[in-house]
Amino acid sequence: MKKIVLIGAGGHCKVIIDIIKSTNEFEIIGVTEKKFSEDKILDIPIIGDDCILERLYSSGVRYAFVCVGGLGNLQLRNKIYMKLKKIGFKIPKLIHKNAIVSKYVDIEEGTCIMAGAVVNPGVHIGKNCIINTSAVVEHDCSIGDNSHIAPRAVLSGATKIGRNTHIGLGSSIIQCVNIGKNVTIGAGAIVINNIEDNTLAVGVPARVIRVKDNM
């Protein structure tokens, strides 16, 4: 099996470990973490901080994956992703065996699709995205790089999501709505209108309550 190192030893990492073990394609050699008090996460050893990544690559480990969760950490996820690419690591796409993913989708590297998620035909998902547990991405949707579709969120057909955007837990986006880049959609929101870049939108129906700094 191909050897892979995981970066970030939080709760999201546990789910990534589960996905990798469900595919039987990679051997996880360990997890890196800047601050750690345990020797293992689940049954995988924590082998040091990110300073060892270049040494691991030189030793022949060619695959890595970002295991920092998305909520509030999209900038950090992107920073780690770019560092791994600079070192030279290959960053696979990971799809849990219990996800339902059409063969007619385009999924880029670094994206993970978790158990129970449904991704239907004509969808494009960019790099370093999270399609979380039981999320639904309907036909012809487009999701920009480094975005997170949280558990049980639903994107109706032909929805467009910009890069660096978080679609909150249990939220619903109606068909053909465009959501900009660097947007946060609050948990449980129902989005019926387009949402501009760099904003936070919440409620039923969702409305913008704050303008955010550019990412």
Side-chain angles (χ1 to χ4, degrees):
M1 290 192 291
K2 295 172 284 191
K3 294 182 177 180
I4 191 169
V5 60
L6 309 182
I7 294 84
H12 185 68
C13 183
K14 294 178 182 179
V15 183
I16 297 301
I17 291 169
D18 187 56
I19 293 173
I20 290 173
K21 291 195 171 188
S22 82
T23 66
N24 202 34
E25 183 178 358
F26 296 95
E27 174 192 355
I28 305 171
I29 65 156
V31 179
T32 67
E33 175 61 51
K34 286 186 176 181
K35 298 179 181 179
F36 56 94
S37 57
E38 303 291 336
D39 295 329
K40 292 183 177 182
I41 176 166
L42 299 181
D43 56 355
I44 304 299
I46 297 174
I47 55 177
D49 62 22
D50 292 356
C51 295
I52 70 170
L53 290 171
E54 291 188 14
R55 189 170 80 242
L56 289 172
Y57 184 81
S58 297
S59 74
V61 179
R62 289 293 180 264
Y63 290 86
F65 204 82
V66 182
C67 293
V68 174
L71 183 58
N73 290 319
L74 290 178
Q75 287 179 296
L76 178 57
R77 281 180 55 81
N78 187 60
K79 181 179 179 180
I80 296 170
Y81 172 84
M82 297 305 295
K83 179 176 182 177
L84 295 175
K85 293 294 291 182
K86 184 176 181 180
I87 292 171
F89 283 107
K90 297 176 183 178
I91 307 176
K93 56 186 177 186
L94 298 176
I95 301 173
H96 196 283
K97 67 177 182 179
N98 292 329
I100 299 172
V101 179
S102 169
K103 65 179 180 179
Y104 301 107
V105 300
D106 178 22
I107 302 168
E108 298 194 51
E109 67 174 16
T111 285
C112 61
I113 300 180
M114 297 184 181
V118 178
V119 183
N120 277 324
V123 167
H124 173 264
I125 304 173
K127 301 176 180 68
N128 200 39
C129 292
I130 301 169
I131 310 300
N132 220 313
T133 307
S134 297
V136 175
V137 182
E138 269 297 348
H139 64 87
D140 301 310
C141 288
S142 175
I143 300 172
D145 295 347
N146 201 50
S147 289
H148 180 192
I149 312 303
R152 294 194 176 276
V154 176
L155 307 185
S156 298
T159 297
K160 293 184 179 180
I161 308 297
R163 67 182 185 272
N164 303 320
T165 286
H166 177 88
I167 306 298
L169 177 77
S171 58
S172 299
I173 318 298
I174 71 163
Q175 63 273 14
C176 303
V177 162
N178 295 336
I179 294 178
K181 62 186 179 183
N182 189 30
V183 170
T184 298
I185 302 298
I190 297 180
V191 182
I192 63 173
N193 296 305
N194 294 344
I195 303 293
E196 296 182 356
D197 296 349
N198 307 311
T199 54
L200 167 63
V202 300
V204 180
R207 60 185 182 87
V208 172
I209 63 169
R210 181 163 63 87
V211 176
K212 300 161 60 178
D213 294 332
N214 293 346
M215 287 183 69

